[in-house]
Amino acid sequence: MLNIDHYDTIAAISTPQGVGGIAVIRISGDRALDIALRGITLKTLAVRYAHFTQVQDPETKEIIDDVVVTFFKSPASYTGDDTVEISCHGGYAAAPSILNLYYKLGARPALPGEFTRRAFMNGKMDLLQAEAVADLIHAVSESGKKLATRTLSGKLSQEVIELRAELTDIASILELELDFSEQEITTLEKNDILDKLHIAQQHIRNLANSYSGGKILREGALVPIAGRPNAGKSSLLNALLEEERAIISHIPGTTRDTIEESFIHDGVVFRLVDTAGLRKTEDPIEMIGAERARKTLADADLILLVVDLVDIGDLSFEKEFLENYSHIPIIVVYNKVDLSSEIPTLNTQYFLSVSALLHKELTALTQLMTDLLHEHYQIGGNTVAITKQRHKYALQQALEALIRTEGALLEKLSNEFLVLDIREAISSLDDITGHTTSEDVLNNIFDHFCVGK
């Protein structure tokens, strides 16, 4: 990002481009009211009152549009600065014309995410809440929207604040001992500190482990459909999507590449991936497809392993597959139950017999998929979860610092060394909320926002 003044007056369209009922232009900064008044026919704006007026070019006197203008006085605005919002007619012409006028009148084009960045800088929200704004805008499911809303409300921030307080409490105890260095820490006191460290470590682990579930709610669950060639993987994909998305053929190796499509069930996005059949082959194209399938499986949140009931074979492939991917939740889908009722025995907890061709038991399958995600990743209810890799990394750094603290305590090192590690853990937590986050990190976060938010 260039060296930009984040205290001048900025303007941008805050609604999506395209045909619609209204569009909103947002102007924010210390000169927002003065600049806004230059371009409308009213002379004053009452605070938090919707005024019907017209946008007029002060030089040519041309009326650009009939609008509704609202003035939000600092600090009671989204950004914390004086802010004016202009609601005009939607479409491709009115809003850009008004925006260009206000650029001429003294406003600067807002950078991506600059309104939310100013809200963060002015203490209207912390960095977790600011990131939740983008998550809420880009939410693709009800569950993702709810998670973003909970984070925006400050629930996740409160978790981090409570964790920070736990660490500050431990550091305070150790620093107190430094003031009375002639007195050694008793065994009881040392055990108390160890207990506090263990509680804090578990708190951090729980929050870090929420990343997988939070990522699923935010981006959707990656669900590869795997199995031997001709097991019915493409048929199952089409059946779950209720459309003919993948080519179906009795010829083995028809699917050469991964095909991804999504559907939503019970508020969760399932990103289904039809993968190439896994088998030994000399076909170079099919080999590339199989390698891509393996890469997709490595990143999976849930796997559907399709077994052809008509051509069961010795099940050596399926047994090896279940063993290799035992760390990922797997549902064994016995396909073509309309042609064979013989169910083989595999060492798996989750399985279901279906007919992809006749759409039999697909409702039960989607419900099992949903239940398994909720069970394995704890994504139900009103729980909070981290959704960004940077959150997880910061928590891991904090955990490593506390593990070093525990080791130093057991080795009876000076409290000074213990406090340094605890303060490092606290600093990692501050990176999450933005209390001490670097300018480069802030630039990277807000550069990915849309312009106007």
Side-chain angles (χ1 to χ4, degrees):
M1 179 182 286
L2 299 175
N3 186 18
I4 297 295
D5 180 3
H6 288 293
Y7 298 95
D8 57 357
T9 300
I10 56 176
I13 299 172
S14 292
T15 45
Q17 291 185 350
V19 178
I22 63 170
V24 176
I25 295 96
R26 178 179 284 163
I27 306 170
S28 188
D30 56 358
R31 298 179 57 230
L33 179 60
D34 175 59
I35 292 174
L37 287 172
R38 294 182 189 180
I40 59 177
T41 54
L42 291 178
K43 301 302 181 184
T44 61
L45 291 174
V47 177
R48 292 183 173 272
Y49 183 85
H51 304 76
F52 176 73
T53 183
Q54 293 176 315
V55 173
Q56 183 182 51
D57 189 321
E59 292 184 2
T60 66
K61 306 303 180 183
E62 175 192 359
I63 299 296
I64 297 176
D65 196 9
D66 295 329
V67 297
V68 174
V69 183
T70 309
F71 171 50
F72 301 91
K73 179 67 177 175
S74 170
S77 69
Y78 177 76
T79 63
D81 296 327
D82 284 355
T83 300
V84 176
E85 293 187 353
I86 302 173
S87 298
C88 66
H89 288 93
Y92 293 98
S97 296
I98 294 172
L99 185 62
N100 287 331
L101 172 64
Y102 279 110
Y103 289 160
K104 290 196 304 180
L105 296 177
R108 168 176 66 78
L111 298 171
E114 194 168 5
F115 291 104
T116 302
R117 181 170 185 153
R118 291 192 175 193
F120 164 71
M121 292 167 60
N122 290 328
K124 303 291 289 187
M125 60 181 70
D126 64 24
L127 196 54
L128 278 172
Q129 293 170 300
E131 290 175 300
V133 171
D135 286 350
L136 186 58
I137 292 172
H138 294 100
V140 294
S141 68
E142 181 66 17
S143 58
K145 186 269 292 181
K146 287 181 178 179
L147 178 62
T149 301
R150 288 195 292 271
T151 304
L152 186 57
S153 72
K155 290 186 178 180
L156 180 55
S157 300
Q158 188 59 39
E159 287 275 332
V160 178
I161 291 171
E162 290 175 1
L163 181 52
R164 189 185 194 280
E166 293 175 17
L167 300 185
T168 302
D169 182 46
I170 300 172
S172 298
I173 294 172
L174 294 171
E175 287 170 339
L176 181 63
E177 294 293 335
L178 286 173
D179 293 334
F180 299 93
S181 56
E182 70 279 3
Q183 301 177 15
E184 295 182 356
I185 302 178
T186 66
T187 303
L188 177 61
E189 289 172 331
K190 190 173 294 185
N191 288 337
D192 286 343
I193 295 172
L194 282 173
D195 288 342
K196 288 179 178 293
L197 282 173
H198 291 159
I199 291 172
Q201 288 172 16
Q202 190 56 50
H203 194 165
I204 291 175
R205 287 191 184 94
N206 292 341
L207 203 52
N209 289 339
S210 72
Y211 173 70
S212 296
K215 187 169 179 286
I216 287 172
L217 293 178
R218 178 173 174 261
E219 302 177 2
L222 183 64
V223 185
I225 304 176
R228 287 183 283 179
N230 262 19
K233 300 182 296 298
S234 299
S235 297
L236 182 60
L237 174 78
N238 291 341
L240 289 171
L241 296 175
E242 297 184 348
E243 64 173 285
E244 297 299 313
R245 176 62 181 84
I247 298 173
I248 299 173
S249 170
H250 67 281
I251 302 174
T254 298
T255 301
R256 299 296 186 96
D257 200 356
T258 55
I259 300 173
E260 180 175 332
E261 291 291 344
S262 300
F263 75 95
I264 299 177
H265 178 72
D266 198 20
V268 178
V269 175
F270 290 90
R271 297 162 50 205
L272 296 179
V273 183
D274 183 18
T275 63
L278 300 175
R279 64 169 181 173
K280 293 182 179 179
T281 178
E282 299 300 323
D283 186 324
I285 303 300
E286 193 175 348
M287 289 172 66
I288 294 173
E291 181 58 30
R292 291 185 178 181
R294 293 186 182 93
K295 289 182 179 179
T296 302
L297 288 166
D299 295 330
D301 299 306
L302 170 67
I303 298 174
L304 300 182
L305 177 60
V306 183
V307 178
D308 185 352
L309 291 179
V310 176
D311 184 19
I312 295 176
D314 62 3
L315 295 178
S316 58
F317 166 81
E318 286 77 10
K319 291 177 181 177
E320 182 180 358
F321 187 98
L322 289 170
E323 182 178 343
N324 290 340
Y325 295 98
S326 59
H327 59 289
I328 302 173
I330 299 176
I331 298 176
V332 175
V333 181
Y334 296 113
N335 189 32
K336 304 179 185 179
V337 72
D338 54 309
L339 300 178
S340 175
S341 59
E342 181 183 353
I343 306 299
T345 301
L346 283 171
N347 184 23
T348 179
Q349 183 178 356
Y350 304 100
F351 60 91
L352 195 67
S353 299
V354 307
S355 171
L357 182 64
L358 301 181
H359 290 210
K360 185 177 180 180
E361 295 298 322
L362 294 186
T363 300
L365 176 58
T366 55
Q367 191 57 53
L368 179 57
M369 292 163 63
T370 304
D371 292 344
L372 185 50
L373 282 181
H374 280 272
E375 176 185 333
H376 189 81
Y377 296 104
Q378 302 295 307
I379 61 175
N382 293 317
T383 57
V384 295
I386 60 172
T387 60
K388 305 291 192 301
Q389 184 65 44
R390 78 169 194 91
H391 303 159
K392 185 177 181 180
Y393 175 77
L395 289 168
Q396 289 172 334
Q397 293 295 104
L399 182 59
E400 290 174 8
L402 292 189
I403 291 174
R404 290 197 301 271
T405 305
E406 180 181 352
L409 182 63
L410 293 174
E411 292 177 12
K412 299 180 180 181
L413 296 183
S414 168
N415 287 6
E416 293 176 276
F417 295 100
L418 278 64
V419 171
L420 282 174
D421 283 328
I422 294 176
R423 290 299 177 189
E424 183 177 330
I426 292 174
S427 177
S428 294
L429 297 182
D430 287 342
D431 285 342
I432 297 176
T433 57
H435 186 67
T436 58
T437 303
S438 70
E439 189 73 10
D440 287 341
V441 172
L442 293 178
N443 290 343
N444 183 61
I445 290 172
F446 289 107
D447 283 353
H448 289 85
F449 276 56
C450 58
V451 174
K453 194 57 182 173

